[in-house]
Amino acid sequence: MSSLISWLDASAEETSRMRELVKLFEMPESVDDLALGQFRDTISNALFPGTSVLHVAARYLVLVPWCFQAAGNARSGEKVRVAGEQTERRLIRRLQEVGAARFIGSSAGDRVAQLPSAAYWSALRAWGIARGDVERSGIGEAMAEETDLRAQGLPTEPVWHAGLPPVPAGFPGTDEQGIELNRVEAEWLRDRILATIGDSLLAQMAANPKSLHKKSEAPWADPCAKSATGEAAVWLAHAESYSALQRGLDSTYYDLVTAQAHVKYGNAEDEPDRDFVDEWHTGEDYRELLRHWDLDDFIVRAKKANPRIQPHSTDFLRRAVKELASGRNPGDNEVLQRMVRDREKRAKGANSRFTNERRLRSWKAPDRINQQTFRWQQVRTMIVDLREGLARA
């Protein structure tokens, strides 16, 4: 299938957002056939502010600022920006040399299209590591302006947090740690998280990461996350309920598309499988989660966090919860099935699998439906990095 995403002249920030969108399509749990991604992202941002599916290691929150600080004190913003990005590419080569386990550019090398600074800029600003008003595209100008004001003896707010561990001499060529935090770096990063997003689940986990499981599949299945209190605990409960809802909707959608493809292109004597809807209906306590979900509270919180959520989306959410919690098997619930068809048609228009024969013919049902976990894989990796750094001498 040809790409439906293209852009000609985008800023670095817009390009980064588009790459994150593309990355989401590579993650089975994040495919958004029913255009409900705003709810997913709102929950993700509430639980784990500043994070991204593009994140691979916590130490980048130290390495990226160092790349630009190592660029020197030039008064030309363009020279600072270019020198910083060149240092990022040298960092990639250094990570290759020291055999780092995971890093941006591990496949493409220093010719990678997206540099680490693009992937981590939201976190750098959200956690107060970079000044909040500085865009990535303007980092050179901001640093050059700071240098100029300091030279004149004038007050200025630093572009980078004043407590950032100092750039090692010869960086990045002398760096031996790769993507592993040392204790000083881990303590500083933990303190930044606590100082800026202290009410979030991410901050509560960073404050006490010892009980985190390296292989937990979702935050509500991890003892470190489950110990959350206050607003973080409320959002975590909403996340688990929303994940149950999303799985039920995806099961219904896949069942409907598979059945339609079978009617048009399959063996008429064979019945299509209903594994997904039957598994949802008879499996875990999804319906109980939905029956006890304070949906009104969730919608109020979601719309406050993201005012762009439309009434038709919240209305769909209410009706979907009602139908999935009713006790009827989604495979036999004609009201729910009609809702799902209409929602997908509204979201995809001419590309709907219910009306576009080319897209229906190319349909291949997935082997399984993955639960929505709200960037948990990336967050879990980051907290493990932090915990291991704090444990080092």
Side-chain angles (χ1 to χ4, degrees):
M1 184 178 115
S2 60
S3 173
L4 300 176
I5 299 175
S6 64
W7 63 95
L8 297 176
D9 185 18
S11 68
E13 289 71 29
E14 290 169 336
T15 301
S16 181
R17 286 193 291 271
M18 290 304 296
R19 291 189 186 282
E20 182 159 2
L21 178 61
V22 171
K23 178 67 174 177
L24 280 169
F25 278 100
E26 297 173 0
M27 301 171 64
E29 71 272 20
S30 296
V31 175
D32 190 21
D33 288 302
L34 301 181
L36 297 173
Q38 285 182 314
F39 294 110
R40 174 200 66 212
D41 295 341
T42 298
I43 295 171
S44 299
N45 292 335
L47 292 172
F48 311 120
T51 59
S52 164
V53 297
L54 301 173
H55 289 177
V56 297
R59 196 173 184 236
Y60 275 112
L61 279 304
V62 177
L63 295 174
V64 169
W66 283 353
C67 287
F68 287 93
Q69 289 183 330
N73 296 319
R75 296 191 179 184
S76 165
E78 181 64 11
K79 286 183 178 179
V80 174
R81 183 191 65 78
V82 171
E85 292 184 353
Q86 288 175 341
T87 305
E88 287 190 81
R89 297 191 188 279
R90 291 203 304 274
L91 172 64
I92 291 171
R93 295 197 292 271
R94 183 58 181 165
L95 292 173
Q96 288 176 319
E97 291 170 359
V98 300
R102 47 189 156 85
F103 60 95
I104 294 173
S106 59
S107 298
D110 62 1
R111 304 179 73 176
V112 67
Q114 175 165 277
L115 291 168
S117 57
Y120 282 83
W121 203 259
S122 292
L124 289 166
R125 294 203 303 177
W127 303 346
I129 298 170
R131 205 171 70 204
D133 64 332
V134 179
E135 298 287 348
R136 178 178 176 271
S137 58
I139 182 61
E141 290 297 330
M143 291 181 66
E145 181 183 25
E146 180 186 346
T147 298
D148 189 49
L149 290 173
R150 290 191 185 282
Q152 299 177 55
L154 299 174
T156 179
E157 184 181 355
V159 172
W160 300 108
H161 187 266
L164 181 72
V167 185
F171 177 84
T174 57
D175 189 85
E176 299 290 341
Q177 291 175 221
I179 50 88
E180 294 181 352
L181 289 163
N182 64 32
R183 183 164 182 169
V184 171
E185 295 163 358
E187 289 176 344
W188 176 80
L189 182 56
R190 176 198 59 194
D191 292 346
R192 283 289 77 221
I193 293 172
L194 296 179
T196 52
I197 55 170
D199 292 335
S200 69
L201 178 58
L202 177 62
Q204 293 191 31
M205 293 173 63
N208 186 23
K210 292 183 179 180
S211 60
L212 179 78
H213 284 182
K214 282 188 175 183
K215 295 184 179 180
S216 53
E217 295 185 352
W220 48 86
D222 189 278
C224 184
K226 286 170 66 177
S227 65
T229 60
E231 289 291 293
V234 174
W235 275 109
L236 182 60
H238 285 318
E240 185 177 11
S241 296
Y242 182 86
S243 183
L245 168 70
Q246 186 72 61
R247 197 164 188 169
L249 290 172
D250 287 342
S251 299
T252 305
Y253 174 67
Y254 294 160
D255 177 66
L256 289 172
V257 177
T258 299
Q260 184 159 327
H262 175 79
V263 169
K264 282 185 172 290
Y265 310 116
N267 186 332
E269 297 180 358
D270 294 334
E271 287 294 325
D273 291 333
R274 284 184 25 168
D275 291 347
F276 291 141
V277 291
D278 290 340
E279 180 183 348
W280 191 92
H281 184 67
T282 61
E284 300 180 42
D285 296 329
Y286 298 125
R287 290 193 305 280
E288 287 303 304
L289 278 170
L290 297 183
R291 285 170 181 159
H292 294 95
W293 190 12
D294 190 345
L295 188 56
D296 289 335
D297 180 73
F298 171 68
I299 289 175
V300 168
R301 289 171 181 273
K303 292 178 71 174
K304 183 178 180 180
N306 185 357
R308 292 173 295 182
I309 293 175
Q310 297 297 310
H312 66 80
S313 293
T314 56
D315 179 61
F316 175 82
L317 212 66
R318 291 184 186 278
R319 292 185 294 130
V321 170
K322 178 182 177 181
E323 294 301 326
L324 283 168
S326 68
R328 294 186 62 188
N329 188 313
D332 301 320
N333 189 328
E334 294 180 0
V335 173
L336 177 65
Q337 292 173 356
R338 183 167 60 250
M339 288 170 50
V340 169
R341 285 195 189 93
D342 291 346
R343 178 76 184 181
E344 195 257 16
K345 289 177 183 177
R346 175 173 185 156
K348 296 186 176 179
N351 288 303
S352 167
R353 290 191 174 99
F354 296 116
T355 57
N356 186 317
E357 291 204 10
R358 178 178 61 84
R359 294 210 67 209
L360 180 63
R361 186 185 293 274
S362 64
W363 166 252
K364 184 176 184 297
D367 294 330
R368 57 172 295 184
I369 295 180
N370 294 279
Q371 62 181 334
Q372 175 57 248
T373 58
F374 311 99
R375 306 176 194 153
W376 176 246
Q377 178 181 341
Q378 292 77 23
V379 170
R380 183 187 62 200
T381 297
M382 180 174 295
I383 298 299
V384 169
D385 286 352
L386 197 64
R387 179 176 68 188
E388 293 178 350
L390 292 170
R392 291 190 175 98

